[in-house]
Amino acid sequence: MAAHQLQRARAMAVAESRIDRYSLPQDVRIEAEGLEALFQAADAALHGSKGGFFEDAAHRFSCSASHLKNLYSRWRKSDRDFWVLVNKTRVRAMESELSPEFVDYWRGLCERNQRSCKAAFRIFKRAYFGGEAIPGLPGKRSQSQLPKGCTYPNLMRYAPSSFELRAARQGRSAAAPFRPLVFTTRVGLACGQVYVFDDVEHDHKVNFLGVNRQAMRPLELSCIDLLSGCKVAYGLKPTVLDDESAKQKIKERDMRFLVAHVLHNIGYRPEGTVLMVERGTAAIRPDMEQIILDATDGAVRVERSGREGAAAFAGVFEGRSRGNSRFKAALESHHNLVHNELAALPGQMGKDRDHAPEELHGRDRHNNALIQAVAALPPERAALLELPFIPWVQFHQLCDEIYDRINHRTEHKLEGWEAAGFLINEFRLTVDGPWLPMQMISELPPEKRVLVDSVIGRAGHVHCRRMSPAEVWERGSGALVKIGAQHVAAILGRDLAVARLVGDNHLFEFEDRELGPGIHRYLAQVVSPRGRELLLSPKQTYLVHANPFAVDQLFVSQETPAGIQFLGVAPRWETVEKLDVDALHRQMGAAAKIEKELLRPVARRGADLTRQRIAAAQHNSAVLRGAPITPGEKARAAEIAEMRTTAHDFAAITSRDAEETPTQFSDEEIATLFSTKKDEEDE
């Protein structure tokens, strides 16, 4: 054979070898390819340095340097044939055929052992050498070695899949990540079309002084808009210990308050809105769902998460029923972001027990001792103490700031942002100047626009950024409508109403730790659903709903023989800081307006009294000047007037010839004259 033909045959053999090598088990092929790369590098190494070369590589292949040298020599003698490097022993073991009955037996052992397949292999060996009947294996057995193909590496080729192992050992819920999941996108949605509700327990402790004797974890119930990813509503409350030291956490009543707030103060889409809720704490009961349907003319419907915990197969007890967290994945990922942002606060508990700081135990003990000291000290001295956990009010303020930053962040990787077109082109006139929206250029006069175009044509003066969740929400939430206040009272129901008395100062005043510390005040004046203002009566009791998610409103109802009648919404009466001049002026103006309303009936009654007093003065004046008062006097006055008219006519006739000396009488004289005659006639 010619040299060129031999060279071509070798090249074809190498090519076929490279194709056939992928028929090998993966770990065997990778091992052989690693040896091939090592020996090719050894070929290129300088003569005399190959010994040290194999010494360095021996630990990577878990063998001795002499074994590598011998294998290298055989590889070179075989004209560098790849198959010389293949571990034939491992291939034969892996290619051993096992019966289906034995494979099922082996997989059952792995699934029943909750922690390790290695332990299942030891159970198999004890059963085999102990003479137990094993499906798929012959009855005749060796007492010194396992059957062909029953080594642990080969059996692991037949082990159950990750899904099967997780489903059998933990359950279907735990195995879900190992099966195809349902993927969704926000593209095509509108703002307010889908709201996602969920509750979360924060990973640190805070002090709720005056209520709890120890620091507790804050609780949160929140709602995000699925399209924008913006947290549109949330409420915080501390974990409170009751009289029996039991923890009071998020309840179904809190969810009713949040849903009422979202539908009344934020709004829904008339063409349809979905409330995505779970079946546990953040749930909406069927009776509440019907009220929502009626209040929105069927526009708002409720979508509930599926339940997980069903048994993986018959004969296994079912797991605890729980909600599917993937149903509200958008809010779950938002919770993770919140945990990360709040991770710098003191009193961290860690994401789980294994990650809890060791100092937490000592911090707790020190904090509890200081809380006892707070109770024993005067308020002015207690305020000087520095506790190892932050107070509740400060935590609430920090959350407000952090959530605002999260809603306005532009550096994020929210799904579907580019496809939905949530991008903004911006420009700047200087390298360190502020970024401005590109549409501002179109509003400039032509001569200025040419100048700006010449500047932004330079590198670094134009960029495209992602819109923040708040920007997307603000742009699309204008089409939302809101339910009326009367529907809020219906959603909250009679069971959540509290009887409150109107004080003499025309205020509702009460304490409610669900709303926050201190005394809460609301003006006893409501605006009805038709917009009319009604001033409530002092010392009268009304049914009120104070929503912790909207503390600026108090929903007032009244019990009547026909049932509960909704009256309207009362505004919050704020407590103003002494140095806040603007707030003081606003509150004084509001107080003056209420004073005017309160004085209106007084003024009305005062006007009546004034008119009465004027009439009495006029009467007294008439009496004093002798004007006719009694009916008799008025009759005589009428007669006098008539006689005076007659006398006047007679005088006019008789005075034609005696104009120089007429006889005239004054009205007083006539009245006195005829009054005297009349008195004599009466006598």
Side-chain angles (χ1 to χ4, degrees), residues 614-628:
I614 291 174
Q618 291 175 343
H619 173 79
N620 293 336
S621 176
V623 171
L624 293 174
R625 71 171 183 265

Side-chain angles (χ1 to χ4, degrees), residues 253 257 492-499 543-546 555 557 564:
R253 66 187 301 273
F257 279 120
L492 299 179
R494 175 66 178 85
D495 57 319
L496 298 186
V498 180
L543 295 176
V544 302
H545 292 100
F555 300 87
S557 303
I564 298 178

Side-chain angles (χ1 to χ4, degrees), residues 195-196 198 200 202 220-226 228-236 258 266 331 334-339 342 399 402-404 406-409 469-470 473:
Y195 290 129
V196 186
D198 194 23
V200 64
H202 288 280
E220 180 180 328
L221 188 59
S222 56
C223 168
I224 69 168
D225 170 59
L226 187 57
S228 63
C230 183
K231 180 176 283 191
V232 297
Y234 69 94
L236 300 166
L258 178 58
I266 297 174
L331 194 48
H334 193 281
H335 291 336
N336 184 63
L337 177 60
V338 171
H339 289 318
L342 294 175
C399 278
I402 289 174
Y403 291 169
D404 184 69
I406 291 176
N407 280 342
H408 288 85
R409 73 192 189 280
W473 169 256

Side-chain angles (χ1 to χ4, degrees), residues 181-202:
L181 300 176
V182 178
F183 295 92
T184 60
T185 180
R186 59 171 34 94
V187 179
L189 293 177
C191 281
Q193 187 174 351
V194 179
Y195 290 129
V196 186
F197 296 82
D198 194 23
D199 63 299
V200 64
E201 189 171 16
H202 288 280

Side-chain angles (χ1 to χ4, degrees), residues 26 42 148 172 217 221 339 439 481 494 554 577 636:
Q26 182 179 8
K148 184 179 180 180
R172 294 170 60 182
R217 299 174 67 177
L221 188 59
H339 289 318
Q439 60 265 26
V481 297
R494 175 66 178 85
L554 188 71
E577 295 182 6
R636 289 195 296 270

Side-chain angles (χ1 to χ4, degrees), residues 633-678:
E633 291 176 343
K634 292 180 179 180
R636 289 195 296 270
E639 293 178 2
I640 292 172
E642 184 178 0
M643 293 175 66
R644 184 178 61 182
T645 302
T646 304
H648 182 270
D649 295 339
F650 177 78
I653 295 172
T654 58
S655 63
R656 295 173 183 173
D657 298 330
E659 292 181 359
E660 294 82 0
T661 58
T663 303
Q664 295 182 355
F665 298 89
S666 66
D667 293 341
E668 289 79 3
E669 292 173 337
I670 295 174
T672 305
L673 177 63
F674 285 93
S675 175
T676 304
K677 292 183 176 180
K678 185 66 176 176

